[in-house]
């Protein structure tokens, strides 16, 4: 045992000598290349000062590298409550809008028509607005508003309602049956009878018309209805329509002949639409349609994603809420986990995805712009995205971005993964996230349950390892891995010392050491994107990612959390400031005091400026892609003309989607000009 302890002591000291770093508790000057073993004791103090580790930490030497009732006669009523559906679709080129009665008339061409539109909100209240429709472009004057072609609209009765089980379907519309009675009690489409459907829907029956709205990828060619009928029989194409047995082609309106016991008849039309925003639909149905009410617990779900051309479906999905501040918004974001790897909508195959709600971003495209800039500036890893119309338990939720989740795997952050605690500290890759919420969102009681692990801590409740870096302002970092329980004290101490060594080198102006442990061009590229977008969320406080691979250096990325950038927050409203450049918390004020880094900055600005020159086209193309979908989204979420907490007055003033797009374009154009002048004068 003595010799084992001696070997561990020697290994720790070799790393410390090479790094010249220290644990967060005290400073050690970085010596030159030293191979002599020195005994050092690292003491880690828990945030609540209740847990400490007085053991000597050893680090390897070397560089810190149901049932239904059919026709004829009385029907048993199946009661229960049903959530109001927020869904609506349009067939063919139609576009669906949530909660709005379709305009009585529209005008095409260069003229315009003022239309009175009634918006029905989820709480049953309604508002009336006058909309002037006409030709609209992304840079049009602020007089036009998006126009949604008439069709079935999400949230209206005509769109139907969803339900988890037959017992919770709308009650049967029972009547007293007479000789001339010919009436449906209810008209449903269930997933048990129609495997292609993502959720159950109860159609709306009014007069001689039956309607419902389904996602874009719903196959209407052979749907079997589950219905109850009061009368003699129902005929479809001249033959008897049998509940749960006869398949109907509903790609076009279908006429049904309702026959009474006395032989009298009447005709009813079945009109089913699929949403036509131009985006694929993503449908999630939790088990029992249970609500997703927190960001911790996964709920089992089925899913369906795609459009009329191609669909991926599965029953091996689970979903939970996501976000910190964003989870408090009405429109929620979600994290998805699959048992099987899927390649969805052209994104790279994985078991994990994120659905960004984009609620704070009225353009719905700020993440897309970051994705474009990340690729243009050559960041090593960029998380791809695809826009979708999200349906949750049969309710339309609006436009979301389906995004590849940041994690260590070949299709995402392709650095050396590990599964065993015996892997040497310098033979694995590490993905880190700066995360102030890690400490702020926990209680003292929670923190007392943390286990001290080298220079950091392990939380068994969340299976997370994290440490505190105090060199530049003080920051919490989480080691992002599903194998957190396999990390040892040596692993945590190693990566903590790498980060501290780099940070201290920056603070002291030690270019040789800083450039040894940091890929400076990676830091500059990441910085330039965030500075151009003026994303002050990314000042090493939260949602900032950094990684190191075997034999490599610390790199910044991938990009994340862009909701508040580009004038979308009071802290980012200025087009002339350069807050990240000056921010000591962001490390960059120290980095760019070094002539060598400043030279790289000036050279890389040329590439950034070229990328910025092309961003106007990206905005226009994205606005065109989202035009109809955005109209649906902002009918579902009536927030245009308002501002969330922390957003500037300019956001509320831009009260149409076109105005939001124009505001974003103008902001980034002014930002480029201001930064060009700033960097040219360095």
């Amino acid at each position: 045992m003595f010799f084992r302890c001696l070997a561990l002591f020697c290994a720790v000291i070799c790393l410390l000598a090479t790094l010249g770093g220290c644990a967060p508790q005290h400073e050690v000057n970085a010596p030159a290349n030293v191979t002599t073993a020195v005994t050092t004791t690292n003491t880690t103090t828990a945030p609540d000062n209740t847990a400490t580790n007085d053991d000597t930490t050893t680090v390897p030497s070397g560089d810190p590298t149901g049932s239904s009732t059919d026709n004829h006669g009385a029907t048993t009523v199946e009661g229960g409550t049903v959530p109001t559906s927020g869904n609506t679709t349009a067939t063919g080129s139609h576009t669906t809008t949530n909660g709005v009665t379709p305009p009585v008339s529209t005008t095409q061409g260069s003229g315009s028509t003022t239309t009175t539109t009634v918006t029905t909100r989820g709480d049953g209240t309604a508002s009336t607005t006058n909309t002037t429709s006409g030709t609209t472009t992304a840079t049009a004057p602020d007089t036009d508003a998006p126009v949604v072609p008439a069709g079935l609209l999400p949230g209206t009765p005509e769109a139907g309602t969803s339900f988890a089980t037959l017992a919770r379907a709308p009650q049967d519309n029972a009547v007293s049956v007479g000789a001339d009675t010919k009436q449906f009690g209810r008209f449903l489409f269930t997933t048990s009878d129609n495997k292609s459907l993502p959720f159950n829907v109860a159609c709306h029956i009014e007069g001689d018309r039956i309607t419902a709205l389904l996602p874009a990828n719903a196959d209407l060619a052979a749907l079997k209805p589950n219905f109850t009928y009061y009368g003699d029989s129902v005929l479809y194409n001249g033959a008897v329509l049998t509940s749960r047995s006869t398949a109907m082609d509903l790609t076009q309106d279908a006429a049904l002949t309702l026959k009474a016991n006395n032989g009298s008849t009447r005709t009813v039309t079945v009109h089913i639409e699929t949403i036509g925003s131009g985006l694929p639909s993503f449908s999630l149905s939790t088990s029992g349609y249970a609500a997703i009410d927190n960001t911790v617990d996964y709920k089992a779900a089925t899913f369906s994603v795609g459009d009329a051309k191609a669909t991926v479906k599965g029953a091996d999905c689970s979903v939970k809420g996501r976000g910190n501040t964003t989870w408090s918004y009405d429109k929620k974001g979600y994290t998805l986990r699959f048992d099987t790897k899927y390649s969805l909508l052209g994104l790279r195959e994985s078991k994990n995805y994120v659905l960004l709600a984009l609620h704070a971003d009225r353009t719905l495209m700020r993440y897309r712009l970051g994705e474009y800039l990340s690729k243009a500036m050559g960041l090593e890893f960029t998380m791809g995205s695809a826009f979708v119309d999200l349906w949750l338990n049969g309710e339309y939720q609006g436009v979301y971005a389906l995004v590849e989740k940041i994690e260590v795997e070949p299709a995402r952050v392709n650095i050396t993964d590990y599964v065993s605690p015996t892997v040497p500290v310098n033979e694995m890759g590490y993905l880190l996230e700066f995360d102030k919420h890690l400490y702020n969102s926990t209680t003292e009681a929670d923190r007392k349950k943390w286990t001290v692990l080298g220079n950091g801590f392990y939380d068994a409740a969340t299976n997370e390892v994290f440490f505190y870096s105090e060199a530049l302002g003080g920051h919490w970092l989480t080691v992002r891995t599903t194998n957190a329980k396999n990390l040892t004290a040596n692993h945590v101490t190693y990566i903590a010392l790498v980060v501290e060594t780099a940070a201290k080198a920056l603070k002291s102006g030690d270019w040789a050491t800083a450039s040894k442990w940091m890929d400076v061009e990676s830091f500059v590229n990441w910085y330039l994107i965030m500075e151009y977008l003026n994303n002050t969320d990314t000042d090493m406080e939260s949602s900032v990612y950094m990684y190191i691979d075997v034999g490599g250096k610390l790199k910044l990325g991938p990009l994340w959390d862009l909701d508040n950038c580009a004038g979308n927050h009071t802290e980012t409203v200025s087009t002339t400031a350069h807050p990240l450049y000056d921010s000591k918390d962001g490390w960059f004020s120290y980095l760019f005091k070094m002539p060598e880094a400043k030279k790289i900055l000036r050279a890389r600005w040329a590439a950034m400026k070229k990328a910025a020159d092309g961003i106007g086209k990206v905005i226009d193309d994205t606005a065109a892609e989202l035009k109809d979908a955005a109209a649906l989204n902002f009918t579902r979420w009536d927030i245009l003309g308002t501002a969330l907490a922390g957003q500037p007055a300019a956001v509320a003033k831009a009260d149409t989607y076109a105005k939001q797009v124009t505001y974003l374009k103008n902001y980034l154009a002014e930002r480029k000009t201001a930064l060009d002048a700033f960097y040219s004068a360095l």
Side-chain angles (χ1 to χ4, degrees), residues 56 59 117 161 229 240 250 313 349 387 407 439 491 508 515 606 660 678:
T56 301
V59 182
T117 303
T161 58
Y229 178 69
V240 173
L250 294 172
K313 292 178 89 271
E349 185 179 68
F387 292 115
E407 58 190 345
Y439 186 84
H491 294 123
S508 64
S515 59
Q660 285 287 334
F678 173 70

Side-chain angles (χ1 to χ4, degrees), residues 305-382:
V305 57
D307 53 24
K309 298 178 182 178
T311 295
V312 177
K313 292 178 89 271
D316 58 351
C317 175
S318 54
V319 56
K320 69 175 182 176
R322 70 165 305 278
N324 294 297
T325 301
T326 54
W327 182 246
S328 68
Y329 296 157
D330 293 334
K331 186 184 181 187
K332 311 292 188 183
Y334 303 100
T335 298
L336 305 176
R337 184 175 66 190
F338 303 95
D339 295 337
T340 302
K341 287 187 176 183
Y342 289 100
S343 175
L344 303 177
L345 302 179
L347 302 180
R348 292 170 294 187
E349 185 179 68
S350 178
K351 293 182 179 181
N352 299 289
Y353 290 85
V354 168
L355 281 164
L356 295 181
L358 312 173
H359 194 54
D361 178 10
R362 306 316 203 251
T363 69
L364 307 169
M365 68 172 74
R366 281 176 168 82
Y367 181 82
R368 171 67 63 86
L369 300 187
E371 185 181 348
Y372 157 74
L373 293 171
S374 176
K375 294 176 181 177
M377 289 300 289
L379 267 64
E380 189 172 13
F381 305 118
T382 301

Side-chain angles (χ1 to χ4, degrees), residues 165-198:
T165 63
L166 282 174
R168 293 170 59 188
Q171 292 186 3
D172 191 85
N173 186 18
V175 297
S176 298
V177 181
D180 63 346
T181 301
K182 36 191 179 295
Q183 178 180 322
F184 284 110
R186 64 183 184 186
F187 203 91
L188 319 173
F189 293 107
T190 68
T191 56
S192 60
D193 295 326
N194 302 277
K195 301 303 182 183
S196 66
L197 286 184

Side-chain angles (χ1 to χ4, degrees), residues 279-301:
L279 299 183
S281 290
F282 197 120
S283 298
L284 282 169
S285 296
T286 59
S287 178
Y289 289 23
I292 303 168
D293 53 10
N294 63 67
T295 61
V296 177
D297 302 316
Y298 278 97
K299 302 289 179 68

Side-chain angles (χ1 to χ4, degrees), residues 605-622:
W605 170 246
M608 184 69 224
K609 185 179 177 182
K610 182 178 180 181
D613 288 340
I615 206 164
K617 184 178 186 305
V618 178
I619 293 174
D620 288 342
D621 290 348
T622 307

